[in-house]
Structures are given as structure tokens and as C-alpha cells.
Amino acid sequence: VTEADEALCERLITAYRAALDGRPSGSQTSGMWSWIYDGWHQPLAQLLDRRDARALARELAEMFRKPFMLGLAPSALMSHGQPRLGARIWRMRALDGLVSLAEGLGVVPVHEPATGTRTTRAFDGGLADLLERVEGRLGFSVDFPDVGAPYGLLIEGRLITMDSPEQIHTAVRLDHALRLHLSPAAGEAPSIVEVGGGYGATCLWLLRRRAATKRYAIVDLPIVNVLQGYFLSRVLGDSAVSLFGEDPAQVVVAPHSGLADLAGPHDVLVNKDSLPEMPAEAALEYLRWARSACNGIFFSCNQESQAPFQGEELGFVPRMVEQAGGYSLLRRDQSWVRPGYVEEVYAVGGSG
Ligand SMILES: C[S@@+](CC[C@H](N)C(=O)[O-])C[C@H]1O[C@@H](n2cnc3c(N)ncnc32)[C@H](O)[C@@H]1O
């Protein structure tokens, strides 16, 4: 933990407290993420309430090994990967993600068990060859940045975490959607708003792919703003990321209460793995907001299980979009990398 880490944590604490504006930490949301707050975020909230920048910096320096990452990164379940069998399953899962990413990129043939060989051809040239092909097509390294004590598989000097193939795949699909569905000018340097950004993975990999992105704003719960603000600042540099109450940088991290104050115009609304988990009214509010604030596309990658949680069903994006009105479906595809997840692109705003 360096002085720069502590200085960043001072800024994160100031932004967090400004976002809460005197309200108690536990009042940030209801439903699933209130349950996550009660179970896993409280120790972090106590550090923020005490304004203890040094202790916060120590926690965040190991964020990927901490229980408060539950729901944001597989690392919260790190102990599951420690027994030999668990480690083996996790290794297979990371490799499976890498092969699916390679298949989605079209750099290895898709495995088809009925007519093809019994195993994928992806490893025919060895792991180094597989990585070389993936990175050649992506145009950037898949090595996960050394921030927050991440862990996963080290292959040819690149760290592949349990979720990085999926996160990279989403950024690639978002990049395709920008090229296909926005005007050339907006597609080249889009202004993006992501709701529910987790630790900032989609933002990070999209910027790796498309450095000319004009603005990437993430709107989230104040306590998760702290996690994404830390991760993205450490990876991209402090000056590339602004926090609540600061002058906007290329990456803007804002609380849900700051949505209306984001400087527009916006070309894209992004949501990955989160609208279904939000309170229904909060999710609808985002979609209604984008109908007038966003002139371009809505890119969604979400599960559609509608599983019950505390007596209510998780949300279903196509139904929410219909309720909000003003969206028209352009594409609907299953994820190459994460079974059960659906990628959708809607036109919204002036082009909808
Ligand atoms: C399962 S995580 C997914 C994170 C990220 N999109 C990913 O796929 O890695 C759900 C995200 O939704 C956020 N979230 C939950 N309720 C929210 C709300 N009311 N407004 C904005 N974000 C919310 C969480 O804090 C978290 O970042």
C-alpha cells in the first residue's frame, strides 16, 4: 500500500460520503443487493464511515480475495478453489472460458461432438498458440492487470482469471454493436453509460479494445463505486477516472443518485448481469431515463431465469424494455461464453 493508494482512498471516501449525502450506509438499495450489503459489505462500509483511508487501502489492495466481492467476481468464493478437486474444476472452467472466447472470435473451430472429434481442436497447437491467436484477433493482451491481488491461471505469462474470458467477450460484443449500429462518428468515439458496472471489467476491456472512447460512465451503488473507482484508477491511472463530485474524466464513476447529472449526450446504455437483480422500479427507472437521455443503442447481456429471490422473481429484460417503451430490438443472441446469458441490442432514443 503506497501513499498514492491512500490518497486515492481519501478521494473514494469523500465521493462515497457525498453520494450518501447523510443517509446511512445501509440505505443504498433494497432486494438482492441489500441482502449482499447486509451479509458482505458492512465491514467495508464501517471503514468508509470511519474515514479510515489506510485500512481501506489495505482491504482494496487484496480486493479479489475478499468476501465483499461476492456477486462481483468469482474470487469471493476463493476457498472453493483450494481443495485439489476444487482447483481442478476451476482450472477447467478458466480454460473452458478461454476456448469459448476463441470460438466466439472465430480463431478456432467450434467443437461439434456429433460429427467432429470427441474433443475440441482448440489445443492442437498448444496453449501458447491458442493465446497468440486470441490476442492477435483482439488486438490487446488478455493478461489481467496486477491490481487487487487477482488470481487465476498463469498461461505463458498471462493471468487468466475465472471471469476474464467472459468479460473480454462482452467487451468485444459491445464493440461489434457500436460499429454495426451507431453512426460512424459516434461508433468511433462513443459516449457510454453502464448501469451496474461491477468492478469495472467491461469498461476496462472495452477501453483496451477502443481507446478512443469519448466517455465511459458507470452508475452503481455508492459502495460498489468505491470498488470500481479503485480498480479502474489503479489500472488506467488516477487522472483517467473521476469520482462523484469531481470534474469528469474519460471514465466517470457515479452513484445511482447522480444519473441525471451525467453530462450527455449519450450514445449507448450498457447493462451486463444486473438489471434482473435490481428492484423492479429501479431497473425501470434506468430504462425510462435512457429513452430520452440516450440516442443510439441499449446493449444488454443478462440471464433470463426469473428465479425467485425473497418471494419475488428476478427481472426479465425483454419484459422490462416493453414496459419502459421506446426500444426496438435489433439483435438477440446467446452468449458464446456464458451459457444461459442472452445478448441483446436495442435501438433507443432518436434512432428507436
Ligand atoms: C452481478 S453484478 C454484475 C457486475 C458487472 N456488470 C459484471 O457483469 O461483472 C451486479 C451489479 O449491479 C449493481 N447494482 C445493483 N443494484 C443496483 C442499482 N439499483 N443501481 C445500479 N447498480 C446496481 C451491483 O452493484 C453490481 O455492480
Side-chain angles (χ1 to χ4, degrees), residues 13-305:
I13 291 170
T14 302
Y16 174 77
R17 295 178 68 91
L20 284 181
D21 195 21
R23 282 172 289 125
S25 295
S27 68
Q28 300 184 34
T29 186
S30 58
M32 182 182 282
W33 282 82
S34 160
W35 174 79
I36 289 184
Y37 176 89
D38 291 343
W40 288 276
H41 287 170
Q42 292 204 41
L44 200 62
Q46 281 160 12
L47 296 182
L48 290 157
D49 288 342
R50 282 209 315 269
R51 301 199 66 111
D52 191 340
R54 179 134 192 97
L56 179 64
R58 276 200 298 263
E59 286 294 294
L60 295 178
E62 299 194 317
M63 64 193 281
F64 287 110
R65 291 160 192 241
K66 296 285 178 176
F68 58 70
M69 292 298 277
L70 187 94
L72 301 170
S75 40
L77 304 174
M78 188 173 159
S79 60
H80 295 196
Q82 278 160 355
R84 274 181 63 194
L85 178 61
R88 195 175 160 81
I89 292 170
W90 278 40
R91 277 200 293 275
M92 284 166 64
R93 159 116 200 250
L95 284 178
D96 185 54
L98 191 59
V99 171
S100 301
L101 175 65
E103 289 178 345
L105 290 168
V107 295
V108 300
V110 171
H111 176 226
E112 202 282 294
T115 51
T117 54
R118 288 181 56 209
T119 55
T120 172
R121 309 289 301 267
F123 300 118
D124 283 3
L127 280 172
D129 171 68
L130 177 61
L131 271 181
E132 199 175 304
R133 290 188 206 202
V134 167
E135 291 184 339
R137 183 61 58 88
L138 288 171
F140 57 84
S141 165
V142 296
D143 187 28
F144 194 86
D146 188 10
V147 167
Y151 70 99
L153 280 189
L154 199 59
I155 306 177
E156 300 291 321
R158 272 78 128 206
L159 181 67
I160 313 290
T161 68
M162 224 56 68
D163 66 329
S164 56
E166 177 208 336
Q167 301 286 11
I168 293 170
H169 169 75
T170 304
V172 170
R173 300 291 289 179
L174 173 57
D175 182 56
H176 288 167
L178 302 175
R179 281 181 209 285
L180 281 172
H181 304 297
L182 293 182
S183 68
E188 202 49 50
S191 176
I192 299 172
V193 178
E194 180 180 9
V195 169
Y199 65 86
T202 307
C203 172
L204 165 68
W205 296 114
L206 185 81
L207 292 182
R208 290 273 199 263
R209 175 95 170 175
R210 189 182 279 254
T213 299
K214 188 163 141 202
R215 180 147 296 152
Y216 198 110
I218 299 180
V219 176
D220 212 308
L221 307 174
I223 198 150
V224 181
N225 284 162
V226 172
L227 305 174
Q228 55 213 190
Y230 176 86
F231 178 74
L232 290 170
S233 298
R234 276 292 151 269
V235 177
L236 303 171
D238 286 352
S239 61
V241 182
S242 62
L243 307 176
F244 187 50
E246 300 178 346
D247 289 341
Q250 184 187 28
V251 174
V252 173
V253 172
H256 46 349
S257 58
L259 182 69
D261 300 330
L262 291 179
H266 313 290
D267 305 305
V268 187
L269 173 69
V270 172
N271 182 259
K272 174 169 177 289
D273 200 11
S274 54
L275 278 181
E277 300 179 356
M278 293 181 197
E281 200 39 49
L284 256 184
E285 208 179 301
Y286 287 125
L287 293 171
R288 290 197 186 111
W289 168 83
R291 210 171 49 187
S292 53
C294 189
N295 189 6
I297 57 170
F298 166 41
F299 176 89
S300 161
C301 177
N302 280 291
Q303 49 85 12
E304 302 187 339
S305 70

